[in-house]
Amino acid sequence: AQNQSPPDVDPASPTGYADGLRRVISPRGVDGCHWIMQAQRMAHDGLWRVRTMPTDNFPQGREMNWSHLLLWCLVGVGKTVALLTGRPVGAAIEDSAQWVPALLHALAILAVPLAIRRAFGWLAAGLLAVAMSAVYTFASLFFVGAPDHHGLAATAVLGMALGLAAGGGGW
């Protein structure tokens, strides 16, 4: 096996590397790579919302109608990392995207139980926090190294179900 050097840094490139190259190989297929590409494009073009993706369904591209919460998180964390490290924003997005799912999981574990503790009590909130971190089917949606929107969607569904239960309980 030959050792290859990483691509040259290019601050003008959307990816942060020369010739638009990337370094990430996602352990869970290409979905995480698409999220990274979209976030890099948002940051490079100064967009708040991506309406089309020219890299999908080449040469026509396709409409992009997904929630942008994950993209905003990737861009925000990437810009923060770029500011702290001096790396190009595209490269910082790619680097930080690997651990953003863990950050979002930790925020969900804190936010959802704190939001329901008033309606259900501290014991229920604590048990929910343990379940959100220990139940594989939920925790695996925040797979480190593969940024994806499924964990955020599941958190939203959980929040809606808990809100219905709290409302049904007269809270």
Side-chain angles (χ1 to χ4, degrees):
Q2 290 181 323
N3 289 333
Q4 289 188 337
S5 60
D8 294 329
V9 173
D10 180 6
S13 169
T15 65
Y17 298 108
D19 300 321
L21 295 176
R22 292 185 168 83
R23 296 179 334 143
V24 169
I25 298 173
S26 182
R28 282 206 169 174
V30 298
D31 280 353
C33 295
H34 283 284
W35 285 107
I36 292 169
M37 289 168 37
Q38 292 163 9
Q40 287 172 328
R41 182 166 171 243
M42 277 179 66
H44 183 262
D45 296 346
L47 302 172
W48 277 98
R49 188 162 165 77
V50 175
R51 305 258 183 216
T52 60
M53 278 309 297
T55 55
D56 290 351
N57 193 33
F58 185 79
Q60 299 92 342
R62 69 167 174 86
E63 285 187 29
M64 209 306 239
N65 298 311
W66 291 2
S67 168
H68 279 59
L69 182 58
L70 179 61
L71 291 174
W72 295 327
C73 290
L74 290 172
V75 170
V77 171
K79 284 186 175 185
T80 303
V81 168
L83 185 68
L84 295 174
T85 63
R87 292 180 51 75
V89 173
I93 288 172
E94 187 176 285
D95 293 342
S96 62
Q98 304 310 300
W99 51 268
V100 163
L103 175 67
L104 293 174
H105 191 203
L107 289 172
I109 290 170
L110 291 172
V112 175
L114 283 175
I116 64 124
R117 66 153 172 80
R118 206 161 177 199
F120 298 105
W122 282 106
L123 178 62
L127 291 173
L128 178 63
V130 169
M132 289 173 70
S133 60
V135 173
Y136 177 77
T137 52
F138 184 82
S140 68
L141 297 174
F142 296 93
F143 192 80
V144 173
D148 198 8
H149 67 285
H150 292 109
L152 295 173
T155 302
V157 170
L158 176 62
M160 289 188 305
L162 291 169
L164 284 171
W171 196 81

